[in-house]
Amino acid sequence: MEYVELANGVTMPQLGYGVFQIDDAEAQRCVADAIETGYRLIDTAQAYGNERGVGAAVAACNVAREDLFVVSKVWVSEYGEGRTYASIERSRELLGLEQIDLMLLHQAYNDYHAAWRDMERAYADGLVRAIGVSNFDPVRLLDLCTFSQVKPMVNQIETHVFWQQGAAHANMERLGVAHMGWGPFAEGANGFFQNPLLAEIAAKHGRSVGQVALRYQLDQGVIVIPKTVRAERMAENFNVFDFALDDGDRTRIAELDCGRSLCFDHTDTQLIGGLLQMVRGQIG
């Protein structure tokens, strides 16, 4: 396993397991399989509705708690002083954990500054070991870093070979924020698993397209959280530490970058407008 050290000295695995779109009943089995495979970083969120299942798998596994790294996220409807803190407490209870390893704000909408003050308080009170954000563009990340007492330690954003987020990554490096990527397989978009270049490089190394894509992102310093419900695919995705891409491979993969979202475009006002109306309904 390779690791990333956060700004506060906390160390987290660079490869983890994501549970987006896995229901609560299935999450326990999937996370148990992932832990059995060797994953020690598990990424969930309040909005996924599966924190209880994730927590049940963590409680039942034979791995010491200190060897696991559990991430969750505060949903936008829970932003607000007092409200955010209470939602972190609920996540802690659902997960069955005394302390969540990393808590993120899920989106850069609503009053995220007020929510961040609660995140800072939860961090100071020991409810969480580290705090960060998700889906913050470079400007909003800079805004929060500038007007906060404790800077975000992580920003989790859509990242894959078709959108490599070079500018965002450089901005995070300048700010001392670790880059965590969601959607490392672009959710299958753009013919991801049939891409000729990735297939060629995979054949050269005796690996799969997915393994090549994950190895490339790890080489860029990105924390990756591939998701699958199949134990055999979990094992395949985890088996990326015993081969290396060469400079030529990386140069060619860099050319696949389209420079735009293929999964959830946060610049699409119609899409985001619908999301915000849904959040407003959840609040009121």
Side-chain angles (χ1 to χ4, degrees):
M1 177 57 66
E2 294 162 6
Y3 295 87
V4 170
E5 183 176 323
L6 304 183
N8 67 343
V10 167
T11 300
M12 66 182 293
Q14 196 181 351
L15 173 67
Y17 177 67
V19 297
F20 177 53
Q21 295 180 324
I22 300 176
D23 66 33
D24 205 30
E26 184 75 350
Q28 181 173 356
R29 191 274 301 170
C30 289
V31 173
D33 285 347
I35 292 172
E36 180 67 23
T37 298
Y39 293 87
R40 296 297 179 260
L41 163 61
I42 308 297
D43 177 86
T44 183
Q46 293 172 356
Y48 300 171
N50 56 22
E51 288 176 311
R52 190 182 302 278
V54 170
V58 169
C61 77
N62 59 4
V63 175
R65 172 66 186 96
E66 59 268 25
D67 293 331
L68 295 172
F69 196 96
V70 179
V71 183
S72 193
K73 310 175 194 72
V74 177
W75 184 233
V76 187
S77 61
E78 301 302 321
Y79 289 8
E81 290 192 60
R83 187 181 185 114
T84 298
Y85 192 95
S87 82
I88 295 170
E89 287 276 30
R90 286 195 300 274
S91 286
R92 212 163 51 101
E93 291 169 6
L94 287 169
L95 289 163
L97 302 177
E98 290 187 10
Q99 189 178 51
I100 297 171
D101 296 288
L102 172 64
M103 201 77 189
L104 309 176
L105 295 183
H106 206 147
Q107 300 276 357
Y109 306 116
N110 201 354
D111 191 351
Y112 60 82
H113 281 283
W116 188 254
R117 288 191 288 273
D118 265 21
M119 294 278 278
E120 290 176 328
R121 184 156 67 97
Y123 176 60
D125 290 348
L127 274 62
V128 296
R129 295 177 64 212
I131 51 177
V133 296
S134 180
N135 299 307
F136 273 56
D137 65 34
V139 172
R140 294 202 179 195
L141 181 62
L142 177 61
D143 171 38
L144 189 58
C145 285
T146 302
F147 298 102
S148 60
Q149 293 185 353
V150 180
K151 292 182 181 180
M153 297 152 196
V154 172
N155 185 20
Q156 183 184 128
I157 58 175
E158 178 186 344
T159 312
H160 42 75
V161 295
F162 300 130
W163 197 20
Q164 297 177 25
Q165 297 277 20
H169 184 88
N171 183 60
M172 286 184 240
E173 285 193 325
R174 285 193 296 271
L175 294 171
V177 178
H179 180 175
M180 188 173 185
W182 63 261
F185 301 143
E187 298 184 357
N190 204 30
F192 182 93
F193 291 103
Q194 291 77 44
N195 182 269
L197 173 60
L198 295 178
E200 177 190 331
I201 294 172
K204 168 183 167 182
H205 292 281
R207 298 290 172 153
S208 70
V209 164
Q211 288 173 318
V212 166
L214 292 174
R215 184 66 260 172
Y216 178 77
Q217 290 197 54
L218 292 168
D219 289 349
Q220 308 309 304
V222 179
I223 301 162
V224 293
I225 45 170
K227 169 241 173 174
T228 178
V229 298
R230 296 164 48 193
E232 65 272 19
R233 185 61 62 83
M234 292 177 196
E236 177 184 307
N237 294 340
F238 192 77
N239 187 24
V240 292
F241 298 108
D242 59 351
F243 80 104
L245 300 175
D246 59 40
D247 289 342
D249 296 332
R250 286 189 288 270
T251 297
R252 296 175 74 197
I253 294 172
E255 295 172 356
L256 293 176
D257 193 353
C258 300
R260 60 181 176 83
S261 170
L262 295 181
C263 300
F264 190 97
D265 186 355
H266 286 78
T267 67
D268 184 333
T269 55
Q270 186 172 1
L271 178 66
I272 298 306
L275 170 66
L276 296 184
Q277 286 301 317
M278 180 188 71
V279 170
R280 188 174 181 181
Q282 292 170 341
I283 297 171

